[in-house]
Amino acid sequence: NEKKKSKGNRLPCSPSRVLHIRQIPNDVTGAEVVSLGLPFGKVTNLLMLRGKGQAFLEMASLDAAVSMVNYYTPAPPHLHDQPVYIQYSNYKELRTDNQHNQARPQAALQGVNAVQHGNLGITNALAAEGGVLPNHGSVLRIVVENVFYPVTLDMLYQIFSKFGFVVKIVMFHKNNQFQALLQYADATNAYYAKMSLDGYSIYTGCCTLRIDFSKLTNLTVKYNNDKSRDFTRIDLPFGDGQRAVETSLSTPFGKKPSLLMSSDAIYTSLGPSVPPVPGALGPLMVTTSAAPGHMAIPGIPGNSVLLVSNLNPEAITPYGLFILFGVYGDVHRVKIMFKKRGIALVQMADATQAQLAINYLNGQRLYGRVMHATLSKYQTIQLPREGQEDKGLTKDYSNSPLHRFKNPCSKNFQNIFPPSATLHLSNIPPSVTVDDLKNLFTSKGSTVKGFKFFQKDCKMALIQLGSVEEAVHALIELHNHDFGENQHLRVSFSKSSI
């Protein structure tokens, strides 16, 4: 018992290339376990403990292991509809040479590594794992949802070529959706790409990939342009009215991209010839046409200034808008119109944050009115000239310490949720009790319907209020509330309820 107690209380393991995976369903194959590590780098070893529902996975580099743990810790992956849990192991390397019952997992590992290195002769190795691949073709149908930034053919090539040789891509719009058909040289590559990328987003919060297998067995490509490409045919014409696109039999950018995932976003590391999109929420995909201040999106200019209307002039303040819109990005400036107090301008750090704020806050009730948020025609908010009458209606917050997204490693990137009646509280001092917090929220006009401290961390709690509007008002009033001794409350919207 003492051993068990000490084991249960031990500190988390330090980062290691070897990862311990728990609660694996009995019918999960080694290839499926290995596929969890595929997006983060090469997998060099695998040890399956079938009777215990556990496995050890060894990554080629420590960076790959850290990326994998950081990605899966807040959102555990699912195998056969069951969540599995990943943590660092005490082992620094795995030795499976003399292990019993490891032939099939090792065969699967060799097969998957062959996928990563573009070797197509892997079907037999994977068959040794028990036939993990369903009967399907090599063509994927890709639907991109919430397209706030342009998705180019070259982007899709970068993302999907991580899982094998992409032969052809065709892009089109159907049923008001952006769609693409993508053909691999081998069906196995298509299987692992779908398994690894379905449900992930190219940009943080938008451009989400929905992937399934197409009924087509082969794509016909007549032109090599920005809508279709056959990577085996450099002789194809560009087609009428299409801009010329440089094609290559390797990658369009000369340097093999390394695909990683952070939060729910896919991002790549590319050569210096392709500029990344600056300043957006979290790491972004690159786009050849994007540049600071103007994104090439029809109908959505690269504007970071929002026009917010139908506000309650008796209750709204620049600080209130700063706190509320600051949930979805870093607010640099706020201006409430001098002659029309129900209208305001809010300048976000960039166009991505502006679009996120519109998505989550347009139509939200604020101080008894339904707020409207859209992009403004202005590119920036001008500060009042010296001596100009303003009555404190224009504020500059560009250097505020309350920005949630200034640090690129902040966990706030993983916790962007729509307004909800349940608030997540953090940075609670040990001396503050449940009653203290309930009384604090009640004093601001909130109806407290539920409260729960986090079991493992009493610095955090959930509080459920009477309505979403109450929670919005409470967040504005109490985010950064000073408990004394430099302890400030942090408030955000929660995806959970009590």
Short mmCIF file of all heavy atoms in Angstrom, two decimals, residues 89-135:
data_model
loop_
_atom_site.label_atom_id
_atom_site.label_comp_id
_atom_site.label_asym_id
_atom_site.label_seq_id
_atom_site.Cartn_x
_atom_site.Cartn_y
_atom_site.Cartn_z
N SER A 89 7.32 8.88 -20.37
CA SER A 89 7.71 7.66 -19.67
C SER A 89 9.01 7.89 -18.90
O SER A 89 9.77 8.83 -19.18
CB SER A 89 7.90 6.54 -20.69
OG SER A 89 8.65 5.48 -20.13
N ASN A 90 9.27 7.01 -17.93
CA ASN A 90 10.57 7.04 -17.23
C ASN A 90 11.69 6.52 -18.11
O ASN A 90 12.86 6.76 -17.85
CB ASN A 90 10.50 6.19 -15.95
CG ASN A 90 9.76 6.93 -14.84
OD1 ASN A 90 9.93 8.13 -14.67
ND2 ASN A 90 8.93 6.21 -14.10
N TYR A 91 11.33 5.77 -19.16
CA TYR A 91 12.35 5.22 -20.06
C TYR A 91 12.89 6.31 -20.97
O TYR A 91 12.15 7.19 -21.41
CB TYR A 91 11.76 4.09 -20.92
CG TYR A 91 11.26 2.91 -20.14
CD1 TYR A 91 9.89 2.65 -20.03
CD2 TYR A 91 12.15 2.04 -19.51
CE1 TYR A 91 9.42 1.56 -19.32
CE2 TYR A 91 11.68 0.94 -18.79
CZ TYR A 91 10.31 0.71 -18.69
OH TYR A 91 9.86 -0.36 -17.98
N LYS A 92 14.17 6.22 -21.28
CA LYS A 92 14.78 7.15 -22.22
C LYS A 92 14.85 6.55 -23.62
O LYS A 92 15.02 7.27 -24.61
CB LYS A 92 16.19 7.56 -21.75
CG LYS A 92 16.18 8.29 -20.41
CD LYS A 92 15.25 9.52 -20.46
CE LYS A 92 15.13 10.19 -19.10
NZ LYS A 92 14.08 11.23 -19.09
N GLU A 93 14.78 5.21 -23.70
CA GLU A 93 14.70 4.54 -24.99
C GLU A 93 14.01 3.20 -24.80
O GLU A 93 13.91 2.69 -23.68
CB GLU A 93 16.09 4.35 -25.62
CG GLU A 93 17.00 3.45 -24.83
CD GLU A 93 18.32 3.21 -25.54
OE1 GLU A 93 18.34 3.23 -26.78
OE2 GLU A 93 19.34 3.02 -24.85
N LEU A 94 13.52 2.61 -25.91
CA LEU A 94 12.85 1.32 -25.85
C LEU A 94 13.72 0.25 -26.49
O LEU A 94 14.34 0.48 -27.54
CB LEU A 94 11.52 1.38 -26.62
CG LEU A 94 10.31 1.97 -25.91
CD1 LEU A 94 9.10 1.85 -26.84
CD2 LEU A 94 10.02 1.28 -24.60
N ARG A 95 13.73 -0.94 -25.87
CA ARG A 95 14.39 -2.10 -26.48
C ARG A 95 13.36 -3.22 -26.57
O ARG A 95 12.91 -3.72 -25.54
CB ARG A 95 15.59 -2.53 -25.64
CG ARG A 95 16.69 -1.48 -25.63
CD ARG A 95 17.92 -1.95 -24.89
NE ARG A 95 18.93 -0.92 -24.85
CZ ARG A 95 20.09 -1.04 -24.24
NH1 ARG A 95 20.39 -2.15 -23.57
NH2 ARG A 95 20.97 -0.06 -24.27
N THR A 96 13.03 -3.59 -27.78
CA THR A 96 11.98 -4.59 -27.96
C THR A 96 12.49 -5.83 -28.69
O THR A 96 11.72 -6.69 -29.10
CB THR A 96 10.82 -4.00 -28.77
OG1 THR A 96 11.33 -3.48 -30.01
CG2 THR A 96 10.14 -2.89 -28.02
N ASP A 97 13.82 -5.95 -28.84
CA ASP A 97 14.38 -7.06 -29.62
C ASP A 97 13.95 -8.42 -29.07
O ASP A 97 13.64 -9.33 -29.81
CB ASP A 97 15.92 -7.00 -29.62
CG ASP A 97 16.41 -5.72 -30.30
OD1 ASP A 97 15.59 -5.10 -30.99
OD2 ASP A 97 17.58 -5.37 -30.13
N ASN A 98 13.97 -8.57 -27.75
CA ASN A 98 13.70 -9.88 -27.14
C ASN A 98 12.31 -9.97 -26.53
O ASN A 98 12.02 -10.87 -25.75
CB ASN A 98 14.76 -10.18 -26.06
CG ASN A 98 16.16 -10.21 -26.65
OD1 ASN A 98 16.35 -10.74 -27.74
ND2 ASN A 98 17.12 -9.62 -25.93
N GLN A 99 11.47 -9.01 -26.83
CA GLN A 99 10.14 -9.02 -26.23
C GLN A 99 9.23 -10.01 -26.96
O GLN A 99 9.26 -10.12 -28.19
CB GLN A 99 9.50 -7.62 -26.33
CG GLN A 99 10.24 -6.57 -25.52
CD GLN A 99 9.93 -6.67 -24.04
OE1 GLN A 99 8.96 -7.33 -23.67
NE2 GLN A 99 10.73 -6.05 -23.22
N HIS A 100 8.43 -10.74 -26.21
CA HIS A 100 7.47 -11.65 -26.82
C HIS A 100 6.28 -10.86 -27.36
O HIS A 100 5.95 -9.78 -26.90
CB HIS A 100 6.97 -12.66 -25.78
CG HIS A 100 8.07 -13.54 -25.23
ND1 HIS A 100 8.74 -14.43 -26.03
CD2 HIS A 100 8.60 -13.66 -23.99
CE1 HIS A 100 9.64 -15.08 -25.29
NE2 HIS A 100 9.58 -14.61 -24.04
N ASN A 101 5.64 -11.43 -28.34
CA ASN A 101 4.38 -10.89 -28.89
C ASN A 101 4.54 -9.49 -29.49
O ASN A 101 3.60 -8.71 -29.51
CB ASN A 101 3.27 -10.85 -27.82
CG ASN A 101 3.01 -12.22 -27.23
OD1 ASN A 101 3.03 -13.22 -27.96
ND2 ASN A 101 2.80 -12.26 -25.92
N GLN A 102 5.74 -9.13 -29.94
CA GLN A 102 5.93 -7.79 -30.50
C GLN A 102 6.14 -7.83 -32.02
O GLN A 102 6.44 -6.80 -32.63
CB GLN A 102 7.12 -7.10 -29.82
CG GLN A 102 6.89 -6.79 -28.36
CD GLN A 102 5.65 -5.94 -28.12
OE1 GLN A 102 5.43 -4.95 -28.80
NE2 GLN A 102 4.83 -6.33 -27.15
N ALA A 103 6.01 -9.00 -32.66
CA ALA A 103 6.28 -9.11 -34.09
C ALA A 103 5.32 -8.26 -34.91
O ALA A 103 5.72 -7.51 -35.80
CB ALA A 103 6.20 -10.57 -34.53
N ARG A 104 4.02 -8.39 -34.58
CA ARG A 104 3.03 -7.62 -35.35
C ARG A 104 3.19 -6.11 -35.17
O ARG A 104 3.22 -5.36 -36.15
CB ARG A 104 1.63 -8.06 -34.97
CG ARG A 104 1.25 -9.42 -35.54
CD ARG A 104 -0.19 -9.74 -35.24
NE ARG A 104 -0.62 -10.97 -35.88
CZ ARG A 104 -1.84 -11.45 -35.80
NH1 ARG A 104 -2.76 -10.79 -35.09
NH2 ARG A 104 -2.18 -12.56 -36.41
N PRO A 105 3.28 -5.62 -33.92
CA PRO A 105 3.48 -4.17 -33.76
C PRO A 105 4.74 -3.68 -34.46
O PRO A 105 4.75 -2.59 -35.04
CB PRO A 105 3.57 -3.99 -32.24
CG PRO A 105 2.77 -5.12 -31.69
CD PRO A 105 3.03 -6.27 -32.62
N GLN A 106 5.82 -4.45 -34.42
CA GLN A 106 7.05 -4.01 -35.07
C GLN A 106 6.88 -3.98 -36.58
O GLN A 106 7.39 -3.09 -37.26
CB GLN A 106 8.22 -4.94 -34.68
CG GLN A 106 8.68 -4.78 -33.24
CD GLN A 106 9.09 -3.34 -32.95
OE1 GLN A 106 9.92 -2.78 -33.64
NE2 GLN A 106 8.49 -2.75 -31.93
N ALA A 107 6.13 -4.94 -37.13
CA ALA A 107 5.87 -4.93 -38.56
C ALA A 107 5.06 -3.69 -38.94
O ALA A 107 5.31 -3.05 -39.96
CB ALA A 107 5.11 -6.19 -38.97
N ALA A 108 4.10 -3.36 -38.09
CA ALA A 108 3.30 -2.15 -38.34
C ALA A 108 4.17 -0.91 -38.28
O ALA A 108 4.01 0.01 -39.09
CB ALA A 108 2.19 -2.05 -37.30
N LEU A 109 5.08 -0.87 -37.32
CA LEU A 109 5.98 0.28 -37.18
C LEU A 109 6.82 0.46 -38.44
O LEU A 109 6.97 1.57 -38.96
CB LEU A 109 6.88 0.09 -35.95
CG LEU A 109 7.95 1.17 -35.73
CD1 LEU A 109 7.27 2.50 -35.45
CD2 LEU A 109 8.85 0.79 -34.59
N GLN A 110 7.37 -0.65 -38.93
CA GLN A 110 8.19 -0.57 -40.15
C GLN A 110 7.34 -0.06 -41.32
O GLN A 110 7.78 0.74 -42.13
CB GLN A 110 8.76 -1.94 -40.48
CG GLN A 110 9.82 -2.41 -39.48
CD GLN A 110 10.13 -3.89 -39.65
OE1 GLN A 110 9.80 -4.48 -40.67
NE2 GLN A 110 10.79 -4.47 -38.66
N GLY A 111 6.10 -0.52 -41.36
CA GLY A 111 5.22 -0.08 -42.43
C GLY A 111 4.94 1.40 -42.38
O GLY A 111 5.00 2.09 -43.38
N VAL A 112 4.65 1.89 -41.17
CA VAL A 112 4.34 3.31 -41.03
C VAL A 112 5.56 4.17 -41.35
O VAL A 112 5.46 5.20 -42.00
CB VAL A 112 3.83 3.61 -39.61
CG1 VAL A 112 3.67 5.10 -39.42
CG2 VAL A 112 2.49 2.93 -39.41
N ASN A 113 6.74 3.74 -40.91
CA ASN A 113 7.95 4.50 -41.23
C ASN A 113 8.19 4.50 -42.74
O ASN A 113 8.72 5.46 -43.29
CB ASN A 113 9.16 3.93 -40.49
CG ASN A 113 9.21 4.41 -39.06
OD1 ASN A 113 8.75 5.51 -38.77
ND2 ASN A 113 9.73 3.60 -38.16
N ALA A 114 7.80 3.41 -43.40
CA ALA A 114 7.91 3.39 -44.86
C ALA A 114 7.00 4.44 -45.48
O ALA A 114 7.35 5.10 -46.44
CB ALA A 114 7.57 2.01 -45.40
N VAL A 115 5.81 4.62 -44.88
CA VAL A 115 4.90 5.67 -45.35
C VAL A 115 5.58 7.03 -45.23
O VAL A 115 5.58 7.84 -46.14
CB VAL A 115 3.60 5.69 -44.51
CG1 VAL A 115 2.74 6.88 -44.90
CG2 VAL A 115 2.82 4.41 -44.73
N GLN A 116 6.20 7.27 -44.08
CA GLN A 116 6.80 8.57 -43.84
C GLN A 116 7.94 8.86 -44.80
O GLN A 116 8.25 10.01 -45.09
CB GLN A 116 7.31 8.66 -42.40
CG GLN A 116 6.19 8.77 -41.38
CD GLN A 116 6.73 8.99 -39.99
OE1 GLN A 116 7.63 8.30 -39.55
NE2 GLN A 116 6.18 9.95 -39.31
N HIS A 117 8.59 7.81 -45.29
CA HIS A 117 9.72 8.01 -46.19
C HIS A 117 9.35 7.79 -47.65
O HIS A 117 10.22 7.64 -48.50
CB HIS A 117 10.88 7.10 -45.77
CG HIS A 117 11.51 7.54 -44.50
ND1 HIS A 117 11.06 7.11 -43.27
CD2 HIS A 117 12.51 8.41 -44.24
CE1 HIS A 117 11.77 7.67 -42.30
NE2 HIS A 117 12.65 8.46 -42.86
N GLY A 118 8.04 7.74 -47.91
CA GLY A 118 7.59 7.69 -49.29
C GLY A 118 7.73 6.32 -49.94
O GLY A 118 7.55 6.17 -51.14
N ASN A 119 8.05 5.27 -49.17
CA ASN A 119 8.17 3.93 -49.71
C ASN A 119 6.78 3.33 -49.82
O ASN A 119 6.07 3.20 -48.85
CB ASN A 119 9.05 3.08 -48.79
CG ASN A 119 9.26 1.68 -49.31
OD1 ASN A 119 8.63 1.28 -50.28
ND2 ASN A 119 10.15 0.96 -48.68
N LEU A 120 6.39 2.94 -51.01
CA LEU A 120 5.02 2.48 -51.22
C LEU A 120 4.85 0.98 -51.03
O LEU A 120 3.73 0.48 -51.00
CB LEU A 120 4.56 2.87 -52.63
CG LEU A 120 4.64 4.38 -52.92
CD1 LEU A 120 4.18 4.66 -54.32
CD2 LEU A 120 3.83 5.16 -51.91
N GLY A 121 5.92 0.23 -50.92
CA GLY A 121 5.80 -1.22 -50.79
C GLY A 121 5.59 -1.63 -49.35
O GLY A 121 6.41 -2.33 -48.75
N ILE A 122 4.48 -1.22 -48.74
CA ILE A 122 4.31 -1.43 -47.31
C ILE A 122 3.07 -2.26 -46.97
O ILE A 122 2.83 -2.57 -45.82
CB ILE A 122 4.20 -0.09 -46.57
CG1 ILE A 122 2.95 0.63 -47.02
CG2 ILE A 122 5.42 0.75 -46.78
CD1 ILE A 122 2.69 1.89 -46.27
N THR A 123 2.29 -2.60 -47.96
CA THR A 123 1.03 -3.28 -47.68
C THR A 123 1.24 -4.58 -46.93
O THR A 123 0.53 -4.90 -45.99
CB THR A 123 0.27 -3.54 -48.99
OG1 THR A 123 0.17 -2.30 -49.69
CG2 THR A 123 -1.13 -4.07 -48.71
N ASN A 124 2.27 -5.35 -47.33
CA ASN A 124 2.51 -6.64 -46.68
C ASN A 124 2.91 -6.46 -45.23
O ASN A 124 2.49 -7.21 -44.34
CB ASN A 124 3.60 -7.41 -47.42
CG ASN A 124 3.13 -7.87 -48.78
OD1 ASN A 124 1.93 -7.97 -49.01
ND2 ASN A 124 4.05 -8.11 -49.69
N ALA A 125 3.73 -5.45 -44.95
CA ALA A 125 4.15 -5.21 -43.57
C ALA A 125 2.96 -4.86 -42.70
O ALA A 125 2.85 -5.32 -41.56
CB ALA A 125 5.19 -4.08 -43.52
N LEU A 126 2.04 -4.06 -43.23
CA LEU A 126 0.88 -3.68 -42.44
C LEU A 126 -0.10 -4.84 -42.31
O LEU A 126 -0.81 -4.96 -41.31
CB LEU A 126 0.18 -2.49 -43.08
CG LEU A 126 0.91 -1.17 -42.86
CD1 LEU A 126 0.37 -0.11 -43.79
CD2 LEU A 126 0.81 -0.72 -41.42
N ALA A 127 -0.13 -5.71 -43.31
CA ALA A 127 -1.02 -6.86 -43.24
C ALA A 127 -0.61 -7.78 -42.08
O ALA A 127 -1.46 -8.44 -41.48
CB ALA A 127 -0.98 -7.64 -44.55
N ALA A 128 0.68 -7.79 -41.75
CA ALA A 128 1.15 -8.61 -40.63
C ALA A 128 0.55 -8.14 -39.32
O ALA A 128 0.49 -8.87 -38.34
CB ALA A 128 2.68 -8.57 -40.55
N GLU A 129 0.08 -6.88 -39.28
CA GLU A 129 -0.51 -6.33 -38.07
C GLU A 129 -1.97 -6.77 -37.92
O GLU A 129 -2.62 -6.47 -36.95
CB GLU A 129 -0.39 -4.79 -38.12
CG GLU A 129 -1.11 -4.01 -37.08
CD GLU A 129 -0.69 -4.35 -35.67
OE1 GLU A 129 0.34 -5.00 -35.47
OE2 GLU A 129 -1.41 -3.97 -34.75
N GLY A 130 -2.45 -7.47 -38.92
CA GLY A 130 -3.82 -7.98 -38.81
C GLY A 130 -4.77 -7.29 -39.76
O GLY A 130 -5.96 -7.21 -39.52
N GLY A 131 -4.23 -6.75 -40.86
CA GLY A 131 -5.09 -6.13 -41.87
C GLY A 131 -5.76 -4.88 -41.35
O GLY A 131 -6.98 -4.79 -41.30
N VAL A 132 -4.96 -3.86 -40.97
CA VAL A 132 -5.55 -2.67 -40.34
C VAL A 132 -6.20 -1.75 -41.36
O VAL A 132 -6.94 -0.87 -41.00
CB VAL A 132 -4.48 -1.88 -39.56
CG1 VAL A 132 -3.93 -2.72 -38.44
CG2 VAL A 132 -3.36 -1.40 -40.48
N LEU A 133 -5.90 -1.95 -42.65
CA LEU A 133 -6.40 -1.00 -43.63
C LEU A 133 -7.73 -1.47 -44.21
O LEU A 133 -7.83 -2.59 -44.68
CB LEU A 133 -5.39 -0.83 -44.77
CG LEU A 133 -4.04 -0.26 -44.35
CD1 LEU A 133 -3.15 -0.09 -45.56
CD2 LEU A 133 -4.20 1.05 -43.62
N PRO A 134 -8.74 -0.61 -44.18
CA PRO A 134 -10.01 -0.98 -44.81
C PRO A 134 -9.85 -0.98 -46.33
O PRO A 134 -8.86 -0.48 -46.86
CB PRO A 134 -10.96 0.14 -44.36
CG PRO A 134 -10.06 1.30 -44.08
CD PRO A 134 -8.76 0.74 -43.61
N ASN A 135 -10.83 -1.51 -47.01
CA ASN A 135 -10.78 -1.56 -48.47
C ASN A 135 -11.27 -0.23 -49.03
O ASN A 135 -12.45 0.06 -49.04
CB ASN A 135 -11.67 -2.71 -48.96
CG ASN A 135 -11.57 -2.89 -50.46
OD1 ASN A 135 -10.61 -2.44 -51.07
ND2 ASN A 135 -12.58 -3.52 -51.04
#
